[in-house]
Amino acid sequence: MTLNNIVPSTQDFWRYLFSPVSVAIIGASNTPGSWGNNAMKGVLSAGNKRVYPVNPNSPEILGIKAYHNVTEIPDAIDLAVIVVPEKLVPDVMRQCVGKGVKAAIIITSGFAETGEAGRKLEAEVAEIARQGGIRFIGPNSMGHADTGSQLSTFGQPGTLSKGPVAVLSQSGSTCMKIVRSLGELGVGCSKYVSTGNEASLILEDYIEFLAQDDNTKLIVAYVEGLRDGRRFFRLAKEVTRKKPIVVVKVGGTEESARAVMSHTGALAGSDAVHTAAFRQSGVIRVEDDDELCDVAYALLNSALPRNNRIGILTIGGGQGALTAEICEREGLAVGKLEPATVEKLDKILPPRWPRRNPVDMAGPTAADLGEISNLLWPLIEDKNLDIILLLVPIIMDNTVLTGRMGLKPEQIQAYREKEEHNIMLIRENIEKYEKPVALIWQGRGVNSDPSALTLLRKGKILAFSNTRRTARVISHLFRYRQYLEAIKGEK
Amino acid sequence: MSNTSKIIASVRQQGRTVLTEIEAKQVFSEAGISTTATVLASSQTEAVALSEKIGFPVVLKVASPEITHKTDAGGVKVGLKNKAEVRKAYSEIMASVRPKYPKAKIYGVSVQSVARPGIEIIIGVFKDPQFGPVIMFGLGGIFVEVLKDVAFRIIPIVRRDAAEMIKEIKGYAMLNGYRGHEPAHIPSLEDILLKVSDFVEKTPGIKEIDLNPIFAYKDSAVAVDARIVLEDKP
């Protein structure tokens, strides 16, 4: 046994954890579907690491020579992935210490989340690791991933798509759900961690590291309970000046608090105090994981509004009225059009338009819809409006182009080019005036058509199919901007 | 050694964790928070003399760190307009409190000037297990007790936080004056919040604070009752 217990510096430690060159999978297995098999396949899939399975009962795992014990591996080990039954974890951790393993993740469950005996076992493992200078993820973690180094201990096959969002989650399945939902919105991740029971590394540690991580522009977290609320608060105050932190925190109701306690053994804590702490430190608190993804998407794909006054452009009166009401309930205001805007719109819209906000197009033809951007400019230029909501399609569906408008294929091509040109002009104005533009339109032509979504994203136009979600997201963007303005000049 | 450190050291020395109202008010005065005049009278004669000095009407409250619910124990007499009433009140307080708290250390009574009524405000501090000291703001009476209409912030706070937490409560409109009440002077309330936050930050070992009520007027605010509890261990 080599004595190699040199504790790596913090910087090095995170590199070993997220970008290991050599990985031992302790408890690797040939049984398809088992955690030990998944982890092995996942770590192997990138093909850029030296991977050593450890299993005393099999000479080979997935065709690779297996070792009885981590200490027998003839190579230095950066990361140990531990998937053995819980009773064996203390011994395995001792061996990792003996081997001089730099970082570890314990996937195994059956610790503090199960009761008193589990709590003791967890404390024992944590103490062995602490004395041996190993910091670890988990136990009861589902995995961790770094899209930069293409490491995933979740057992995901294939290439991990890169992106600017770091996901931290005190629930493994919620971690994966968030990562997948972000993917569906076209948002990739830098790193994601199922933090498990946090016996060694706690949420606050990851945030401190991610604050310095150049690949991470935005941190989102699913939180059941903070281990060191004061440290979280201090860190968040610093981090949110540069990188937004979006948090969904459960435990606000009695039953949810009980569920949290038995899930990761964390204390849910007073909800009102959490709300205060988040607000005071610029953390964006959302209600659920869907909203979390919506807000992450919006932070990356939109300007932050200067104020909360919306302008609504609608194809019909009913949607305009509904949207106005929902927006007001979510803390936004319906702006009063400047006289100049009314004059400009008078020249474009039929005389029956109501000459006020929401701007009702009063029954446009399909051809009129090709001219939406002409209506958008006066609204973007209006000093009384900070956000523009479009309840009209700014990108046309193929069926409309071929059917109602009767365009031929070469005309469609030209139409699409004009659309893209328009979208890029809109983006220029969104950036120039710092006014978010959001499209709220039924699934057709937006959510069902990935090319339409891509084009909207290119144009920095937010697209949602639900008004309340849109209003909530924009309200979050507004409050975050307000916070950033308020802290300017404060130490 | 500042007056505050001396008071806290002496409380510790006596094996106590709860400051008397008089001690607490001295501490807050030193922190720049205005409180109603409150002095200790260790006898009936002294109570009468001090009442005359402060000026009638006065309030008498039993002075004992062990009796926290003074009103329930019959330890508070308000609106005493002359020497005779003070004398009578002193006897009644002692007669009522003693049987209820046979072992409590009673220093006498605190004699307090009567603050002119204003909008009742409560400001408190407690330790959250995760975030440490938290400051609370709310309207007094039923607003805090029944409606739980309060706002929190983690200590330390800046003026923006103080302003925000005052605006955050649902009863904020009450501070603009209602039913003939004069409005509350918001900057004075912000000042108290900031001074309490500052005091807690600078003074280790504070477990709980209650400034309840504070009377807010159109140009100022004054703490009418004050309570400080120290951590079990310094």
Side-chain angles (χ1 to χ4, degrees):
Chain A
M1 200 184 281
T2 49
L3 249 185
N4 195 14
N5 301 8
I6 301 162
V7 180
S9 76
T10 306
Q11 203 78 19
D12 289 344
F13 165 75
W14 291 106
R15 191 165 43 77
Y16 290 126
L17 187 70
F18 283 111
S19 320
V21 174
S22 55
V23 182
I25 314 287
I26 307 174
S29 160
N30 279 317
T31 310
S34 67
W35 288 99
N37 189 259
N38 277 349
M40 186 72 193
K41 281 186 187 153
V43 175
L44 275 174
S45 73
N48 60 354
K49 297 163 200 68
R50 302 193 295 273
V51 182
Y52 302 97
V54 176
N55 184 328
N57 304 316
S58 305
E60 281 185 354
I61 302 289
L62 300 177
I64 300 170
K65 177 182 160 52
Y67 295 86
H68 272 71
N69 188 308
V70 67
T71 54
E72 290 170 11
I73 299 171
D75 190 359
I77 297 297
D78 293 346
L79 174 70
V81 181
I82 300 172
V83 276
V84 298
E86 72 270 16
K87 297 274 180 274
L88 305 180
V89 175
D91 270 342
V92 164
M93 188 54 84
R94 256 177 228 115
Q95 290 154 9
C96 288
V97 169
K99 174 68 182 166
V101 166
K102 303 294 195 297
I105 171 168
I106 304 175
I107 307 276
T108 310
S109 56
F111 290 90
E113 79 279 10
T114 60
E116 196 42 45
R119 219 185 317 273
K120 272 191 192 143
L121 190 65
E122 183 171 308
E124 187 189 348
V125 173
E127 186 54 24
I128 294 165
R130 195 189 60 77
Q131 286 188 8
I134 296 178
R135 294 203 285 165
F136 63 90
I137 298 173
N140 189 24
S141 163
M142 248 169 76
H144 73 306
D146 182 329
T147 58
S149 71
Q150 290 290 305
L151 168 82
S152 170
T153 54
F154 282 98
Q156 302 161 279
T159 309
L160 310 171
S161 49
K162 294 182 186 181
V165 181
V167 182
L168 300 172
S169 176
Q170 292 181 334
S171 147
S173 52
T174 305
C175 184
M176 288 317 289
K177 183 167 182 248
I178 291 169
V179 171
R180 288 195 199 104
S181 302
L182 286 172
E184 281 168 16
L185 293 169
V187 176
C189 295
S190 53
K191 295 177 172 64
Y192 38 103
V193 183
S194 152
T195 65
N197 293 1
E198 302 185 358
S200 168
L201 291 168
I202 63 175
L203 197 85
E204 292 79 354
D205 293 317
Y206 300 105
I207 291 175
E208 190 170 42
F209 163 67
L210 292 168
Q212 312 297 328
D213 180 35
D214 291 336
N215 295 325
T216 299
K217 305 289 177 223
L218 169 61
I219 301 167
V220 303
Y222 166 80
V223 177
E224 298 190 342
L226 296 168
R227 261 84 184 170
D228 189 348
R230 187 139 278 256
R231 183 165 155 227
F232 174 91
F233 175 70
R234 272 200 224 103
L235 274 169
K237 256 187 163 177
E238 287 305 311
V239 177
T240 56
R241 287 167 177 265
K242 290 162 280 174
K243 296 181 186 182
I245 300 179
V246 190
V247 165
V248 52
K249 159 83 176 70
V250 283
T253 59
E254 218 172 293
E255 274 308 314
S256 69
R258 219 164 288 156
V260 161
M261 200 88 85
S262 59
H263 186 207
T264 47
L267 184 66
S270 149
D271 200 60
V273 174
H274 278 85
T275 302
F278 291 147
R279 177 166 178 182
Q280 206 178 340
S281 58
V283 170
I284 301 171
R285 183 185 189 173
V286 293
E287 295 270 312
D288 59 32
D289 50 328
D290 288 326
E291 196 181 7
L292 180 120
C293 295
D294 286 348
V295 171
Y297 167 77
L299 284 165
L300 295 166
N301 290 291
S302 169
L304 296 178
R306 289 169 184 270
N307 209 330
N308 69 340
R309 299 162 304 174
I310 51 162
I312 300 171
L313 179 61
T314 176
I315 203 165
Q319 282 301 309
L322 273 172
T323 301
E325 176 172 288
I326 290 168
C327 286
E328 287 192 321
R329 284 198 201 283
E330 297 297 337
L332 301 172
V334 177
K336 189 177 184 315
L337 299 181
E338 287 183 311
T341 307
V342 175
E343 270 174 45
K344 286 182 218 168
L345 293 175
D346 270 340
K347 293 192 184 118
I348 313 168
L349 287 169
R352 61 182 182 275
W353 87 281
R355 310 186 84 232
R356 57 189 287 278
N357 192 15
V359 176
D360 180 357
M361 291 177 72
T365 63
D368 290 339
L369 293 177
E371 308 299 327
I372 299 294
S373 44
N374 292 333
L375 296 168
L376 186 54
W377 307 138
L379 297 180
I380 289 188
E381 285 160 10
D382 192 313
K383 288 191 186 65
N384 292 343
L385 305 177
D386 310 296
I387 301 139
I388 315 297
L389 298 186
L390 301 172
L391 312 182
V392 291
I394 42 170
I395 297 181
M396 295 301 273
D397 199 279
N398 262 333
T399 54
V400 176
L401 297 181
T402 54
R404 283 172 69 185
M405 292 174 73
L407 300 188
K408 296 188 179 66
E410 65 276 12
Q411 289 174 301
I412 290 180
Q413 172 71 17
Y415 193 91
R416 289 285 181 228
E417 275 165 24
K418 196 179 103 189
E419 269 182 350
E420 173 146 9
H421 177 74
N422 267 340
I423 294 285
M424 295 319 285
L425 272 181
I426 294 173
R427 176 183 173 141
E428 256 176 53
N429 282 290
I430 288 172
E431 284 169 351
K432 178 174 161 200
Y433 291 95
E434 296 175 42
K435 288 189 189 180
V437 173
L439 172 65
I440 306 169
W441 193 239
Q442 301 93 315
R444 186 177 63 149
V446 181
N447 295 345
S448 58
D449 185 349
S451 64
L453 252 191
T454 307
L455 188 53
L456 290 170
R457 199 172 305 122
K458 237 168 139 178
K460 291 231 165 196
I461 296 166
L462 298 171
F464 296 101
S465 55
N466 176 292
T467 307
R468 191 171 302 279
R469 275 169 78 167
T470 314
R472 289 187 65 93
V473 166
I474 289 176
S475 188
H476 284 303
L477 296 188
F478 157 63
R479 283 197 298 269
Y480 184 51
R481 167 86 183 241
Q482 223 183 8
Y483 174 83
L484 291 177
E485 300 285 343
I487 59 165
K488 268 185 198 164
E490 281 176 14
K491 197 193 81 75
Chain B
M1 208 191 218
S2 70
N3 222 343
T4 296
S5 327
K6 270 185 216 154
I7 291 168
I8 290 176
S10 115
V11 169
R12 287 271 183 217
Q13 212 166 20
Q14 294 166 43
R16 286 191 282 138
T17 53
V18 182
L19 275 69
T20 63
E21 185 179 348
I22 295 169
E23 289 164 342
K25 282 183 172 172
Q26 281 174 336
V27 166
F28 285 122
S29 297
E30 187 152 318
I33 295 165
S34 76
T35 59
T36 46
T38 303
V39 287
L40 177 70
S42 46
S43 69
Q44 195 173 32
T45 323
E46 204 179 349
V48 172
L50 288 171
S51 299
E52 275 194 294
K53 198 173 154 198
I54 287 176
F56 295 104
V58 295
V59 175
L60 294 198
K61 287 186 195 170
V62 62
S64 167
E66 283 137 88
I67 302 169
T68 46
H69 298 287
K70 298 184 187 99
T71 308
D72 299 345
V76 180
K77 298 283 172 187
V78 301
L80 310 173
K81 292 185 287 292
N82 52 50
K83 290 199 274 187
E85 285 185 16
V86 169
R87 208 171 289 124
K88 183 162 166 268
Y90 188 94
S91 311
E92 282 174 2
I93 285 174
M94 292 307 157
S96 168
V97 166
R98 201 24 105 195
K100 293 191 176 100
Y101 290 91
K103 287 184 191 148
K105 204 174 280 168
I106 295 173
Y107 299 118
V109 296
S110 67
V111 183
Q112 310 185 0
S113 60
V114 176
R116 152 175 89 79
I119 297 178
E120 275 190 44
I121 303 290
I122 169 167
I123 289 175
V125 171
F126 63 94
K127 279 241 166 116
D128 180 85
Q130 276 135 357
F131 292 100
V134 172
I135 189 164
M136 185 195 86
F137 175 87
L139 289 172
I142 63 154
F143 291 96
V144 59
E145 282 163 26
V146 183
L147 302 174
K148 314 272 184 244
D149 183 16
V150 291
F152 301 104
R153 287 293 182 274
I154 313 299
I155 287 175
I157 59 168
V158 294
R159 187 165 290 273
R160 173 176 52 82
D161 297 317
E164 278 178 12
M165 61 194 293
I166 293 170
K167 282 207 193 94
E168 214 170 282
I169 58 166
K170 295 183 191 78
Y172 173 67
M174 305 275 288
L175 299 179
N176 298 324
Y178 65 100
R179 288 198 178 181
H181 267 277
E182 58 185 304
H185 191 240
I186 306 286
S188 296
L189 297 175
E190 288 174 8
D191 282 342
I192 299 180
L193 284 166
L194 285 167
K195 282 169 182 169
V196 169
S197 166
D198 201 43
F199 165 69
V200 172
E201 220 197 338
K202 282 190 196 138
T203 319
I206 302 292
K207 187 179 173 191
E208 252 175 71
I209 287 174
D210 257 318
L211 290 166
N212 181 21
I214 292 166
F215 283 171
Y217 308 119
K218 67 174 190 293
D219 54 356
S220 60
V222 61
V224 177
D225 199 353
R227 187 175 136 82
I228 296 176
V229 182
L230 305 175
E231 296 275 17
D232 292 341
K233 288 190 183 111

